[in-house]
Amino acid sequence: MSMRVMLADDHKIMREGIHALLENEPDIEVIGEADGGETAVRMALERRPDVVLMDITMPDLSGIEVTRRILADMPQVKVVALSMHSDRRFVREMLEAGASGYLLKDDAFEELKNALHAVGCNQTYLSPALAAPPQECSDESANPDDTERPARLL
């Protein structure tokens, strides 16, 4: 059974390009393209996608608000943000809204495929560029009795 994906981005060239790339994936079916937030909410409710690939910045409703609205009615849907914004504030807001993944538009297509498959398996996926660099190991942080570990993402 193929994964049903809906695209939501106000830039037609982005939607068409991603659609063309995903068309070649045998286990992924693009079931719709929305050019704005209101359209994305309506289309998601009508077409019932497995995954919505969501731009954050759209003219009528932000991808953050669209994510909240879609997931309020269909909590089983997975949302993957695809954005130019690498600011951790946007990442945090999308994840708090319920998104299962966050990719940057600078990422390679392979990352998009990885993200779709990960969220399809109920995993969270973040762009490798968003992962925090490893922290320096100090004598205090190397204590084997220390059960607290710092968060490395966000």
Side-chain angles (χ1 to χ4, degrees):
M1 185 173 182
S2 64
M3 178 185 300
R4 296 166 40 86
V5 176
M6 189 183 100
L7 310 176
D9 195 304
D10 58 322
H11 294 100
K12 186 174 183 172
I13 197 164
M14 286 297 297
R15 292 190 317 271
E16 289 179 350
I18 291 169
H19 190 150
L21 290 167
L22 290 176
E23 242 176 7
N24 296 319
E25 298 302 312
D27 57 343
I28 297 173
E29 175 189 6
V30 177
I31 61 165
E33 297 178 21
D35 62 359
E38 293 286 355
T39 305
V41 172
R42 196 169 40 256
M43 187 179 290
L45 292 172
E46 291 169 1
R47 300 194 183 176
R48 316 298 274 184
D50 299 314
V51 179
V52 178
L53 193 58
M54 181 77 65
D55 186 16
I56 290 180
T57 308
M58 292 187 281
D60 53 355
L61 274 181
S62 75
I64 296 165
E65 182 58 29
V66 174
T67 297
R68 285 188 190 108
R69 291 184 186 189
I70 290 172
L71 295 178
D73 287 328
M74 298 182 302
Q76 76 283 2
V77 172
K78 305 300 181 194
V79 175
V80 175
L82 181 62
S83 180
M84 64 180 186
H85 301 291
S86 60
D87 184 311
R88 295 189 189 283
R89 177 179 54 107
F90 288 104
V91 179
R92 187 172 22 261
E93 287 184 38
M94 275 302 286
L95 294 176
E96 287 173 355
S100 298
Y102 196 105
L103 287 174
L104 297 174
K105 288 184 176 178
D106 289 343
D107 286 334
F109 178 63
E110 193 66 31
E111 291 301 327
L112 173 57
K113 290 192 307 185
N114 291 342
L116 292 175
H117 290 292
V119 301
C121 293
N122 295 317
Q123 299 172 2
T124 301
Y125 192 94
L126 293 178
S127 171
L130 297 172
Q135 296 180 349
E136 291 287 325
C137 182
S138 67
D139 290 340
E140 291 175 11
S141 66
N143 182 351
D145 295 329
D146 183 13
T147 57
E148 290 189 34
R149 300 282 181 244
R152 292 196 51 210
L153 296 176
L154 305 180

